[in-house]
Amino acid sequence: MSLPLEGLSAIVTGAGRGLGRAEALELSRLGAAVVVNDYGRPGRDGSGETSAAPAEEVAAEIRAEGGRAVSHVGDIADFDTARRLVELAVSTFGKLDILVNNAGILRDRMVFSMSEAEWDSVVRVHLKGHFNTTHFASVHWRERSKAAGGPVYGRIVNTSSEAFLAGSAGQPNYAAAKGGIVGLTTSTALALAKYGVTANVICPRARTRMTADVFAAVPEFRSGTEPGDGQLDPLAPEHVSPLVGYLASPAAARVNGQLLVVHGGMVAVVERPRVAAKFDSAKETFSYNELDALLSPFYEDRPANETFAAAEVLALRRG
């Protein structure tokens, strides 16, 4: 019996640790050959040495399990680096089939305290990084589709956050970048559908090095790799990676332009925004007084703290 991703190749960005590592390992277990990208930070031994970069550690781990993997060290927020990353996948495995955008950083601060550099760095890595890899992957798929005279196989899984959905007061840069990724995803889904490519976005909740200051440690749980034995940390990245594997698979061919929240043995499909109310002007256009007469009573009856943000997603749990 063949594996669902057998014969396919994938890129996972930010895969040296945390979510990206779990996702790269999952894709490999499902049969994909994987390009493991990471920025090239010091190894996990804490020695400060960079000779064994995290990306190569994960690639070696995949190969040790019998899979196929190569590492790529570089900043995907750099346009040319993203081009070389896609070229590496194509030259090594013959083609690219799956792109998982995961790389990111945090620079948390309230909007009135945030520096320009803190804003720019987060938007650059998250939003520009997602665009860069998506651009070069889409060029590859479009060219393949034209050569084949029809659709090809392509899957994009992007990474947003509940910080965008629910609003996060201390993360205006992160929430804005993650909201931008949702817009990028839905636009990409429509643009590439005719080529056989799907694009979806997940909002994962996981305990990783990047979120160490967000989620308190839970020492009674292990950080193992096999969910299902009742001892896995509810915020372990391994709760997220199976969904990425599914969205990357042929089984998810009809899943496109979707946003899913995932953590702790739970997946929630988030509905697109709906129009709550509509008002028409009595004349050709609105006046201030007419808008006051229509909108002020409408908002008077709504909860004072209710905004476009969907804070209820933070309460989602399995069961």
Side-chain angles (χ1 to χ4, degrees):
M1 183 176 178
S2 63
L3 296 169
L5 302 185
E6 190 171 316
L8 303 177
S9 65
I11 288 172
V12 183
T13 69
R17 301 186 179 95
L19 271 175
R21 173 181 174 273
E23 292 163 351
L25 292 171
E26 178 72 9
L27 294 180
S28 175
R29 292 189 190 107
L30 294 175
V34 184
V35 179
V36 180
N37 161 267
D38 198 77
Y39 187 67
R41 294 159 293 186
R44 284 192 294 249
D45 59 5
S47 66
E49 297 296 326
T50 58
S51 56
E56 179 54 32
E57 291 178 4
V58 175
E61 189 175 354
I62 290 172
R63 294 192 296 267
E65 293 181 357
R68 294 187 298 157
V70 296
S71 60
H72 174 273
V73 177
D75 176 12
I76 49 84
D78 176 78
F79 198 62
D80 197 51
T81 297
R83 175 185 59 79
R84 291 194 299 269
L85 173 59
V86 172
E87 288 176 349
L88 176 62
V90 175
S91 64
T92 304
F93 301 122
K95 58 186 172 63
L96 173 66
D97 302 291
I98 300 159
L99 171 63
V100 179
N101 282 310
N102 167 76
I105 61 172
L106 289 178
R107 298 291 185 269
D108 293 351
R109 204 172 298 277
M110 300 294 284
V111 67
F112 44 77
S113 303
M114 182 164 289
S115 69
E116 181 182 17
E118 289 166 338
W119 172 272
D120 288 349
S121 61
V122 169
V123 172
R124 175 183 178 274
V125 174
H126 288 273
L127 186 52
K128 186 167 186 270
H130 271 61
F131 162 74
N132 287 348
T133 54
T134 297
H135 167 75
F136 289 108
S138 66
V139 168
H140 170 70
W141 288 319
R142 183 169 178 262
E143 290 175 349
R144 279 177 53 197
S145 178
K146 286 186 173 182
V152 296
Y153 190 98
R155 298 285 187 269
I156 299 173
V157 183
N158 288 334
T159 306
S160 184
S161 170
E162 292 168 301
F164 151 68
L165 284 174
S168 179
Q171 297 180 304
N173 48 3
Y174 184 69
K178 290 304 191 182
I181 287 168
V182 174
L184 172 64
T185 304
T186 54
S187 173
T188 302
L190 292 174
L192 300 187
K194 65 181 179 180
Y195 302 117
V197 179
T198 67
N200 294 287
V201 60
I202 64 172
C203 292
R205 190 186 304 178
R207 194 187 320 279
T208 66
R209 180 172 297 200
M210 192 179 81
T211 62
D213 295 333
V214 179
F215 302 120
V218 184
E220 62 267 29
F221 292 104
R222 63 179 178 82
S223 59
T225 59
E226 295 296 333
D229 64 4
Q231 298 180 23
L232 191 67
D233 180 352
L235 294 179
E238 290 78 18
H239 287 297
V240 175
S241 53
L243 176 60
V244 173
Y246 168 75
L247 293 173
S249 76
R254 289 179 57 83
V255 185
N256 193 30
Q258 302 297 305
L259 188 152
L260 303 98
V261 175
V262 55
H263 57 81
M266 180 220 74
V267 172
V269 178
V270 179
E271 193 87 83
R272 63 180 176 85
R274 302 286 180 177
V275 176
K278 175 179 175 291
F279 303 94
D280 296 320
S281 63
K283 298 181 180 180
E284 182 180 8
T285 189
F286 280 110
S287 66
Y288 167 85
N289 288 334
E290 188 181 13
L291 286 171
D292 182 26
L294 291 171
L295 292 178
S296 294
F298 174 76
Y299 281 104
E300 187 70 30
D301 295 334
R302 293 172 71 87
N305 294 323
E306 183 178 275
T307 71
F308 187 76
E312 61 271 20
V313 300
L314 299 179
L316 289 173
R317 297 290 188 276
R318 179 175 178 266

